[in-house]
Amino acid sequence: MPIEVIDSTNVKIVEKPWGWEKWIQPGNEVYPFSLKQLLLRAGQRTSLQVHQHKSESIIMLEGTGTLLTYPEFFDCELYLNGEYSQNVIDYIINNLTSIPLIPGLIFHTPPGTVHRMVADTDLLYIEASTTQLDDVVRLQDDQKRDHGRIASEHK
């Protein structure tokens, strides 16, 4: 199989309320992983989210901010079935651990890891993940977006 060469101006760009994603490799049968470059604009934050199946690895390239995470496993299936009370969700939100984000920092989010990134300055980073790109369970979102892929962002 020949090497696939693509000009970086021809990758899919997904505009987000907080910045953008460049889908360098969305994954397929030959490449069983996803690779994205993301920009989280200063003063913005991602959803407080968790993935049921997706695993991510992120390396920070530029900027500073904070990674917020909850140290215990979160069961997405129970949550989606309504088996977490609002009191439990509020407890999680109020007991997040803060990790400073700086260039060169690498972190991994296995399935069941509650996480959110907050940008002090523009944050530029690379995310490698498994290919379950629609696997996003949002516990909190500034734009009140629902779980999964947001069709209007993927025109």
Side-chain angles (χ1 to χ4, degrees):
M1 173 174 277
I3 292 177
E4 182 180 4
V5 178
I6 301 170
D7 185 294
S8 65
T9 59
N10 291 327
V11 299
K12 178 179 179 176
I13 297 176
V14 178
E15 296 292 336
K16 296 289 188 174
W18 42 257
W20 49 255
E21 299 177 343
K22 289 183 182 178
W23 289 31
I24 299 165
Q25 176 51 255
N28 57 39
E29 62 282 348
V30 176
Y31 303 105
F33 61 89
S34 163
L35 185 64
K36 298 187 227 174
Q37 180 183 40
L38 298 94
L39 176 71
L40 178 59
R41 297 197 191 285
Q44 299 293 314
R45 62 187 187 168
T46 63
S47 302
L48 181 63
Q49 61 186 279
V50 60
H51 309 294
Q52 191 166 11
H53 305 287
K54 182 181 174 190
S55 295
E56 301 169 323
S57 293
I58 293 175
I59 182 167
M60 304 306 302
L61 301 176
E62 297 176 6
T64 60
T66 305
L67 172 64
L68 301 173
T69 186
Y70 187 67
E72 295 178 28
F73 176 79
F74 185 89
D75 191 318
C76 292
E77 188 172 339
L78 291 180
Y79 175 73
L80 293 171
N81 288 332
E83 297 181 44
Y84 275 92
S85 70
Q86 188 58 50
N87 287 343
V88 170
I89 300 304
D90 291 343
Y91 178 85
I92 290 169
I93 291 169
N94 292 319
N95 288 280
L96 297 171
T97 300
S98 297
I99 300 168
L101 294 174
I102 57 172
L105 182 85
I106 298 169
F107 65 91
H108 309 283
T109 59
T113 304
V114 174
H115 61 286
R116 163 181 266 162
M117 293 171 61
V118 180
D120 297 330
T121 65
D122 283 359
L123 286 176
L124 185 66
Y125 55 101
I126 299 288
E127 173 188 297
S129 76
T130 55
T131 58
Q132 299 96 340
L133 300 179
D134 298 340
D135 177 16
V136 181
V137 176
R138 293 181 177 88
L139 304 181
Q140 192 177 58
D141 184 80
D142 293 340
Q143 289 74 36
K144 310 284 189 259
R145 296 176 300 164
D146 202 2
H147 309 305
R149 179 185 291 230
I150 307 299
S152 62
E153 296 173 0
H154 292 265
K155 298 174 186 167

